[in-house]
Amino acid sequence: MRNNSKPRQILDTVNPLEPYLGYHLRRISAASMASLTLLLNELDIRPSEATVILFVQATPGVRQSLIGKHLGIRRANMAPLIAGLESKSLCRKEALDGRSSGIQLTKAGVKCAAKIEVKIRENEERCFGQLTVRDRKALMKIISTINLELISLE
Amino acid sequence: MRNNSKPRQILDTVNPLEPYLGYHLRRISAASMASLTLLLNELDIRPSEATVILFVQATPGVRQSLIGKHLGIRRANMAPLIAGLESKSLCRKEALDGRSSGIQLTKAGVKCAAKIEVKIRENEERCFGQLTVRDRKALMKIISTINLELISLE
DNA sequence: GCATGATTGCTATATAATATAGCAATAATA
DNA sequence: TATTATTGCTATATTATATAGCAATCATGC
């Protein structure tokens, strides 16, 4: 007799999505982002804002079109994102020419960037600390070879 | 002279998000999902619907609470999702008891499931065909060891 | 058998990320 | 200078996902 207990419903079928890399990456990414969102809530910062802040810190004076190109955020979505950071006094614009501005972090923005980095590192530990160092390195090596442009259909 | 061309703006700074696994997984997941979304559009199916359809196919008569537990979809979001599939005549409910139903695919649902599988496999090739077989296997091995429950904070 | 608590499905609602279409101003180019 | 490309932006829509709360039903301990 294989099973003489009688739970209401058991799942003796394997999840049919298991064989797909895309499925696993989606689930892991979603969990990791949800976790990061909670951590960043304490700073009143959303994940997409966090990536922009860190990018601007590393590349002061960058124009927002370039931020978007590197982070995969469209112009139309970049505009309100930057406006939101300005309204929180985390960044400011300085005119480069008649239409573009260079984005700079304010002092508050720099402080915030430091806190964001701490949160991101904390999240990396929360999410990937369960992997061995060897696996983390192997994972990083493999995924950083993936060329996103070969995937996107723009 | 290191650079005598004069592009308006070049980025000689490394993307500061590069060191983070979570960042790469997010970008890859987003690209892969966007690609899959386009492929599934031809079937008038969204990715979350696709996962539910394949899960129901593999586990006929499953109740929706269980689907959600396995796929990471909350009860509140499961309800309209199933209702949508019913309205497309892709699945139907059969009462298990006074409050729960077993979800079954209709004939159209089974046909749709087969098409979904083709699209998903096509997408896997599109997204991960650029990796060596060795890397794909290594990637699958590592990410399938990640325990999502250790990440989620519910 | 009955009171209590857990489960299940559901509605309403909110938010984050992301998508398209189109506009106006400016810059780059032939 | 005329044309095209770039840039920033608004408005809007969609998908996925989140919380709060409700009502019906089921399971459990007494």
Side-chain angles (χ1 to χ4, degrees):
Chain A
M1 205 179 293
R2 260 186 44 231
N3 183 357
N4 56 6
S5 67
K6 43 168 189 166
R8 303 275 321 183
Q9 194 165 28
I10 55 165
L11 185 67
D12 51 13
T13 310
V14 167
N15 182 335
L17 285 315
E18 287 289 334
Y20 303 116
L21 272 173
Y23 173 72
H24 288 280
L25 293 175
R26 180 190 179 193
R27 292 293 306 273
I28 292 165
S29 169
S32 148
M33 290 305 299
S35 165
L36 181 61
T37 297
L38 289 181
L39 291 175
L40 290 176
N41 272 348
E42 300 163 26
L43 307 180
D44 189 28
I45 291 288
R46 276 159 290 288
S48 63
E49 292 178 322
T51 60
V52 168
I53 289 172
L54 293 193
F55 193 88
V56 171
Q57 184 182 46
T59 321
V62 69
R63 70 185 66 199
Q64 62 190 63
S65 60
L66 201 53
I67 303 174
K69 267 171 201 151
H70 281 268
L71 297 181
I73 304 173
R74 286 175 148 71
R75 277 181 298 144
N77 300 322
M78 204 70 227
L81 214 169
I82 293 290
L85 294 180
E86 274 191 290
S87 78
K88 290 181 194 170
S89 301
L90 296 175
C91 76
R92 103 177 70 80
K93 295 179 179 181
E94 288 175 5
L96 288 178
D97 57 36
R99 61 185 172 185
S100 299
S101 302
I103 314 294
Q104 305 273 354
L105 292 190
T106 61
K107 282 191 182 177
V110 173
K111 279 189 191 172
C112 185
K115 291 180 188 166
I116 288 170
E117 280 187 13
V118 172
K119 296 291 186 187
I120 289 183
R121 295 217 179 92
E122 188 181 338
N123 194 56
E124 290 276 304
E125 273 317 301
R126 267 192 55 76
C127 297
F128 309 114
Q130 54 177 298
L131 294 177
T132 63
V133 172
R134 187 187 180 80
D135 276 354
R136 283 172 81 157
K137 283 188 181 166
L139 181 51
M140 178 65 92
K141 188 173 180 183
I142 295 170
I143 66 176
S144 58
T145 67
I146 295 177
N147 184 348
L148 295 179
E149 300 191 13
L150 294 183
I151 300 176
S152 79
L153 305 159
E154 303 187 58
Chain B
M1 203 180 294
R2 262 185 45 232
N3 184 359
N4 56 4
S5 68
K6 43 167 190 165
R8 301 277 319 183
Q9 195 166 29
I10 56 166
L11 186 67
D12 53 15
T13 311
V14 168
N15 182 335
L17 284 316
E18 287 289 334
Y20 303 116
L21 274 173
Y23 173 73
H24 288 281
L25 293 175
R26 180 191 179 193
R27 291 294 306 272
I28 293 165
S29 169
S32 147
M33 290 306 296
S35 165
L36 181 61
T37 298
L38 289 182
L39 292 175
L40 290 176
N41 272 349
E42 300 163 28
L43 307 180
D44 190 29
I45 291 289
R46 277 159 289 289
S48 64
E49 292 179 321
T51 60
V52 168
I53 289 172
L54 293 194
F55 194 88
V56 171
Q57 185 182 44
T59 322
V62 68
R63 68 186 67 198
Q64 61 191 65
S65 59
L66 202 53
I67 302 173
K69 266 171 201 152
H70 281 267
L71 297 181
I73 304 173
R74 287 175 146 71
R75 278 181 299 141
N77 300 324
M78 204 71 226
L81 213 169
I82 293 290
L85 294 180
E86 273 191 291
S87 77
K88 291 181 194 171
S89 302
L90 296 174
C91 76
R92 105 177 67 82
K93 296 181 178 180
E94 287 175 5
L96 290 176
D97 58 36
R99 61 184 172 182
S100 299
S101 302
I103 314 294
Q104 306 272 354
L105 291 191
T106 62
K107 282 190 181 176
V110 173
K111 279 188 191 174
C112 185
K115 292 179 189 168
I116 288 170
E117 280 186 14
V118 172
K119 297 290 186 187
I120 289 183
R121 293 214 180 95
E122 189 181 337
N123 193 57
E124 290 276 304
E125 272 317 303
R126 268 192 52 78
C127 297
F128 310 114
Q130 54 177 298
L131 294 177
T132 64
V133 172
R134 187 186 180 81
D135 275 355
R136 284 172 80 155
K137 283 187 181 164
L139 182 52
M140 178 64 94
K141 187 173 182 184
I142 295 170
I143 66 177
S144 58
T145 66
I146 294 177
N147 184 349
L148 295 179
E149 300 192 12
L150 295 183
I151 299 176
S152 80
L153 305 158
E154 304 187 59

